[in-house]
Amino acid sequence: RVQMSRNKKRIGHSIAAATTAVGNANYTKTENVYARLSADGSASGAYIVNHFRVSKAGEITDYGSFSDVTNLSTTESLTAKDGAVRFSAQTGNFYYQGNMTTAELPWNFQIAYILDGKAVKPKELGGKSGALKIHFQGKKNPKADAVFSDNYVMQVSLTLDNDTCANIQAPGATMADARRSPWSMPVRTVRE
C-alpha cells in the first residue's frame, strides 16, 4: 500500500543484471548492466558499468557499442571509437560507464497500477491519494539470447518519493530508505 498526498509523485523503475567475464593476466573484468524502465515497463535507456581489477598497470582495450563513455575512476576522459574503448589503468580498481546505443533486454516487463481497487494509467496518478498497488511482472524476452535470462541475475528496484508516499509495504522485498540531510551524506536504513 502506498498513500500519496501531494500534487506530484515520482515513481522510478530500474533493473540490473550482473555478469562476470574473465580478463587476461593483467586484469579481470566485471560488468553490471542497468536499464531504466518507463512507467509501463518498456526500456527507456541502458548503460553498463565496467569494473576492471588491474594486477599490472598498462593499456586496456575493451569492446562495446556505446554512444558515450564516462571514466568513473579518474579525471581522464575516455573515448569510444569503432566499438572499442581504450584507456590506461593503474594497478587496483578501474571503473567506467558506457551508455548503450541499443539494448535488447533479456526480459520484458509489464507494470500495472491499481489505485483504490481500480486500474489506472501511470500518468493519471499525479495528485491522487489512496491505496496504490503496483504489479510488476518480468518474463523472458523471446527476441533476446536465452543465455542471459537463463543464467544471469535480475535485480529490480522501484523508487518512491518519500515526500509524497507513505505506509509503503513490499512483502518479500528488501526496502531501503535513502533520505538526504543538507549537512550530511544520504543515510540508508535497510530492512526486510
Side-chain angles (χ1 to χ4, degrees):
R1 284 178 66 86
V2 176
Q3 294 179 350
M4 298 165 293
S5 60
R6 291 216 174 152
N7 289 336
K8 287 184 111 181
K9 64 107 203 93
R10 190 184 84 211
I11 298 175
H13 312 284
S14 63
I15 64 164
T19 67
T20 301
V22 177
N24 61 30
N26 298 330
Y27 66 84
T28 58
K29 176 185 170 186
T30 302
E31 292 182 339
N32 285 299
V33 181
Y34 298 91
R36 289 182 190 91
L37 302 179
S38 298
D40 66 356
S42 60
S44 62
Y47 62 95
I48 294 176
V49 174
N50 295 288
H51 170 218
F52 293 82
R53 190 173 308 274
V54 182
S55 56
K56 183 178 177 188
E59 295 293 317
I60 295 176
T61 301
D62 194 31
Y63 299 94
S65 296
F66 302 122
S67 58
D68 61 273
V69 291
T70 304
N71 185 334
L72 302 175
S73 294
T74 69
T75 57
E76 233 176 271
S77 62
L78 302 177
T79 57
K81 185 176 180 183
D82 300 324
V85 180
R86 291 179 180 83
F87 53 90
S88 277
Q90 298 301 313
T91 302
N93 294 308
F94 183 87
Y95 297 86
Y96 83 87
Q97 175 179 320
N99 295 329
M100 298 176 71
T101 51
T102 60
E104 188 71 54
L105 299 179
W107 304 277
N108 289 324
F109 301 95
Q110 290 183 333
I111 304 172
Y113 304 85
I114 312 295
L115 182 62
D116 292 328
K118 296 180 183 176
V120 293
K121 294 182 179 174
K123 64 183 177 184
E124 298 170 350
L125 289 171
K128 304 285 185 189
S129 289
L132 176 66
K133 289 184 179 182
I134 302 172
H135 295 277
F136 188 96
Q137 183 178 30
K139 292 183 177 180
K140 257 188 201 185
N141 179 353
K143 294 179 183 175
D145 188 337
V147 72
F148 295 108
S149 56
D150 291 346
N151 299 294
Y152 289 67
V153 175
M154 172 183 37
Q155 175 184 327
V156 178
S157 66
L158 171 68
T159 305
L160 300 169
D161 189 331
N162 284 328
D163 291 334
T164 58
C165 300
N167 302 325
I168 301 167
Q169 298 173 21
T174 300
M175 294 177 58
D177 186 359
R179 297 177 194 243
R180 293 183 190 246
S181 160
W183 301 282
S184 67
M185 296 298 292
V187 176
R188 289 184 163 73
T189 304
V190 177
R191 63 175 191 218
E192 291 207 28

